[in-house]
Amino acid sequence: MTLFTFISLGILAGLFNNFSILDTQSSIYIGTSLLIMSLWAMKIMDSIKAGGLLFLLSAYALLMLAGIMSWLEISFDEHSVLGWVVIIAMMMSNLVHVLSTLLREMARGSFQHDALAEALKQNATPILLSNITTCFGFVVAAFYDASFYAMAWIVVLGAIISYLTLLSWLPIILLKFFLEFRVGHYDDRHGLVDLVSRIQQYPRAVKLGVSISIIVSLISLGYLAQFMTQLYSVGVMLLASFFLLLIIWQDLKITFITLVSSFLSVVIVLAAYFSFQGVLSISAFVLIVPLGMVLDDAIHYFSRYLKSKRGFFNDDASCHRFALSTVGRPIWLTTQLLMIGLLILSFHPNTLIQQASFITIFAVFLASYIILVLLPVIRLRRS
């Protein structure tokens, strides 16, 4: 712990070396966003200490990132500030997945130390995979488009800091300080395992919802087709993420579904947003930022799906039920927190941050609908 403290202080010293790297206005928006998300986390997790821990570790990781950027003298531009939005979402998602799993295990009767070990065991690999995929996508995009260079640096360094914080400070704190004693809610113990079953009681509504989703997706793709030449770097990011997941998962169908579900959630929102704006061009930054965020949830869901498929179950329906019961609630909690935090950032004076935040708010919600409702309903209806 002493070693981590000295390293942290050394990194923070970089801020005094180049304090101008922190934009005061952006810092206020980011700090407010983190505070509001943490307060809401206290409510939905039913744990004041868990929400406080979210704020503490998120703020710590952001300060570490700012310190490293200062030491490396990496310059910022109006586009690279979007990287901070990606890192906020990444850190919050990582912490929520671990803490929600920990609380679920405690609700099932586990001691906090045992619950912590189980939470890290279940989430370490999916979190690492989602972070690597996001970083790899941004790095490849920066390789083909130099305007993504500074943003790629922020995302990569932020992902490393976030993951190391998750594996170092989080266990250190939770091994020394205890969260509130709680019996736990029904949702903690069973996740969203009954969600699809309730929805399937209305087969006509399900069929109508699937049909509408397909039609809207096709219309949105048709609308964005006119901007394809401006979104070349987005295609590069998608291809890079696709091949990386394919190599790791070795499952073509699941890899394809993961990328398509994430891409469509962003495309639908983007098409709806810009069709009302009447724009003549679309910045790739506005698409690539929410895409990196929504891909995270899909990776978590299908990582659990593949885990069950290769270890517990042979049928598709059981695999979806396992994924919903284990990671469905953390995905929904993450969605709520990101929507609230991004709502604050949508008032930022930077136009790109406004657009990216606003689009991502609806994209993460739509992605949750596709991952937690639409896909399981389609697959279970065929079983």
Side-chain angles (χ1 to χ4, degrees):
M1 184 174 180
T2 304
L3 176 62
F4 288 134
T5 302
F6 278 113
I7 293 175
S8 301
L9 291 175
I11 294 175
L12 284 176
L15 293 178
F16 296 97
N17 182 49
N18 184 17
F19 191 77
S20 61
I21 196 170
L22 284 176
D23 177 12
T24 304
Q25 191 174 51
S26 296
S27 300
I28 293 174
Y29 276 96
I30 290 173
T32 304
S33 177
L34 286 179
L35 179 61
I36 298 299
M37 283 191 287
S38 300
L39 291 174
W40 184 247
M42 293 179 185
K43 180 182 185 305
I44 60 179
M45 289 185 172
D46 193 27
S47 173
I48 295 176
K49 293 181 181 179
L53 194 57
L54 277 175
F55 179 80
L56 177 66
L57 294 179
S58 297
Y60 166 82
L62 285 178
L63 289 174
M64 291 298 101
L65 176 58
I68 291 177
M69 299 292 285
S70 298
W71 281 115
L72 296 178
E73 297 182 351
I74 298 176
S75 59
F76 287 80
D77 53 38
E78 63 174 356
H79 297 139
S80 62
V81 72
L82 288 173
W84 292 88
V85 180
V86 177
I87 293 304
I88 291 173
M90 183 184 296
M91 288 187 307
M92 193 60 63
S93 175
N94 294 349
L95 291 169
V96 167
H97 276 282
V98 173
L99 287 175
S100 59
T101 304
L102 181 145
L103 292 174
R104 187 185 71 232
E105 294 301 316
M106 290 175 64
R108 291 172 174 172
S110 297
F111 183 62
Q112 180 169 303
H113 294 175
D114 299 322
L116 174 62
E118 183 64 22
L120 291 174
K121 177 183 176 182
Q122 291 187 22
N123 291 283
T125 301
I127 287 175
L128 179 62
L129 178 58
S130 64
N131 290 2
I132 289 177
T133 304
T134 301
C135 293
F136 187 67
F138 275 95
V139 168
V140 173
F143 180 79
Y144 284 93
D145 188 344
S147 59
F148 285 92
Y149 181 79
M151 184 189 294
W153 264 110
I154 294 174
V155 172
V156 171
L157 291 174
I160 294 173
I161 294 171
S162 175
Y163 195 72
L164 292 178
T165 301
L166 191 73
L167 297 181
S168 58
W169 282 112
L170 180 64
I172 288 174
I173 293 173
L174 290 178
L175 288 175
K176 291 181 176 292
F177 302 96
F178 292 95
L179 301 178
E180 300 93 336
F181 173 79
R182 58 200 297 278
V183 176
H185 298 300
Y186 177 85
D187 289 337
D188 287 330
R189 293 188 289 270
H190 300 281
L192 300 179
V193 68
D194 296 328
L195 175 63
V196 173
S197 299
R198 292 197 297 268
I199 294 175
Q200 286 183 312
Q201 296 176 5
Y202 308 95
R204 292 185 178 179
V206 169
K207 186 176 181 179
L208 178 62
V210 172
S211 301
I212 292 175
S213 300
I214 294 174
I215 293 172
V216 171
S217 299
L218 293 175
I219 293 174
S220 301
L221 287 171
Y223 173 79
L224 289 182
Q226 59 184 309
F227 303 107
M228 285 304 171
T229 56
Q230 305 169 26
L231 303 177
Y232 175 75
S233 55
V234 178
V236 172
M237 179 183 181
L238 282 172
L239 283 176
S241 300
F242 176 82
F243 285 112
L244 178 62
L245 288 175
L246 182 60
I247 292 172
I248 296 175
W249 281 346
Q250 297 183 357
D251 191 309
L252 179 61
K253 184 180 75 171
I254 295 301
T255 301
F256 180 76
I257 292 175
T258 300
L259 267 296
V260 170
S261 60
S262 302
F263 181 65
L264 286 180
S265 63
V266 178
V267 164
I268 292 173
V269 175
L270 198 68
Y273 178 79
F274 283 110
S275 61
F276 288 105
Q277 298 290 326
V279 298
L280 299 177
S281 62
I282 296 178
S283 171
F285 291 95
V286 178
L287 178 56
I288 207 168
V289 170
L291 183 59
M293 295 185 190
V294 300
L295 186 59
D296 179 85
D297 288 339
I299 289 175
H300 275 281
Y301 182 87
F302 286 108
S303 291
R304 299 299 175 87
Y305 175 93
L306 288 174
K307 178 182 178 181
S308 65
K309 182 179 180 181
R310 293 167 179 171
F312 313 127
F313 307 109
N314 293 322
D315 60 299
D316 201 40
S318 297
C319 293
H320 277 290
R321 290 192 179 96
F322 176 82
L324 284 172
S325 64
T326 55
V327 80
R329 178 167 165 78
I331 289 176
W332 175 233
L333 295 181
T334 303
T335 299
Q336 293 182 57
L337 294 177
L338 290 183
M339 290 176 66
I340 292 173
L342 291 169
L343 181 62
I344 304 298
L345 294 178
S346 66
F347 292 97
H348 195 284
N350 186 307
T351 304
L352 283 177
I353 293 181
Q354 288 180 10
Q355 292 180 345
S357 299
F358 188 79
I359 291 171
T360 307
I361 288 173
F362 293 97
V364 294
F365 179 80
L366 185 57
S368 295
Y369 160 74
I370 293 175
I371 295 169
L372 300 179
V373 178
L374 185 61
L375 289 177
V377 164
I378 293 174
R379 300 306 301 173
L380 293 180
R381 189 178 62 168
R382 296 176 179 177
S383 61

